[in-house]
Amino acid sequence: MKCPVDNQPMLVIEYEGIEIDYCAACGGIWLDEGELELLVGAEETDAIALSGGVPAPAPGEKARRCPACRKKMRKEATAGPDSVTYDRCPRGHGLWFDQGELGRVVESGAAPGAGGRVAAFFRELFPADGAATREEGPS
Ligand SMILES: [Zn+2]
Ligand SMILES: [Zn+2]
């Protein structure tokens, strides 16, 4: 599968049996439909309102094309105070997150269980990607 941003071949990262497509060039992540639910759990996905995402208010980003069908993806945003804009294939192939976005989504919806574990996984995977998300104090 090719990255919708820069057309580079994406790496497949396996996490607990879920295949995550990752672009090393731009740090973006593609999740096939349903994989987010597998990653963070259905309840957490509902909690961050991702399954029914709301249209992004001000699409400042360029439209991406679905890496599976090349259709232009829709901009959507998560609910909640720390809203994240992501892209969704109109044909339901999956979701695209630019660098750092998935980590923020996971953390914003993080329940103490799966969400937190996945958030830790992403911090480990993308250590450089902390500018916007790292808020742990020195304690
Ligand atoms: Zn890329
Ligand atoms: Zn598609």
Side-chain angles (χ1 to χ4, degrees):
M1 204 175 269
K2 298 263 183 75
C3 172
V5 176
D6 45 43
N7 230 29
Q8 297 295 309
M10 289 194 280
L11 309 169
V12 175
I13 298 167
E14 208 181 296
Y15 176 75
E16 297 193 349
I18 304 161
E19 288 189 351
I20 300 166
D21 293 282
Y22 168 65
C23 175
C26 68
I29 291 176
W30 170 259
L31 291 180
D32 290 330
E33 192 67 37
E35 285 184 337
L36 185 73
E37 285 85 344
L38 293 174
L39 265 180
V40 304
E43 268 178 43
E44 284 83 357
T45 303
D46 280 350
I48 54 183
L50 196 60
S51 40
V54 294
E61 300 175 21
K62 235 175 88 184
R64 317 281 194 215
R65 287 181 185 276
C66 171
C69 69
R70 313 304 297 172
K71 282 270 167 203
K72 263 192 188 170
M73 293 192 279
R74 283 200 309 261
K75 293 283 177 195
E76 291 183 356
T78 59
D82 189 18
S83 179
V84 173
T85 305
Y86 59 96
D87 302 80
R88 178 194 294 272
C89 170
R91 293 189 178 176
H93 286 115
L95 307 170
W96 173 259
F97 297 90
D98 290 319
Q99 178 166 35
E101 288 178 346
L102 182 57
R104 284 170 59 201
V105 167
V106 167
E107 292 198 354
S108 72
R117 220 173 58 240
V118 176
F121 166 73
F122 278 106
R123 271 199 299 272
E124 205 172 289
L125 189 60
F126 314 115
D129 160 46
T133 56
R134 199 162 295 156
E135 277 167 31
E136 303 107 54
S139 61

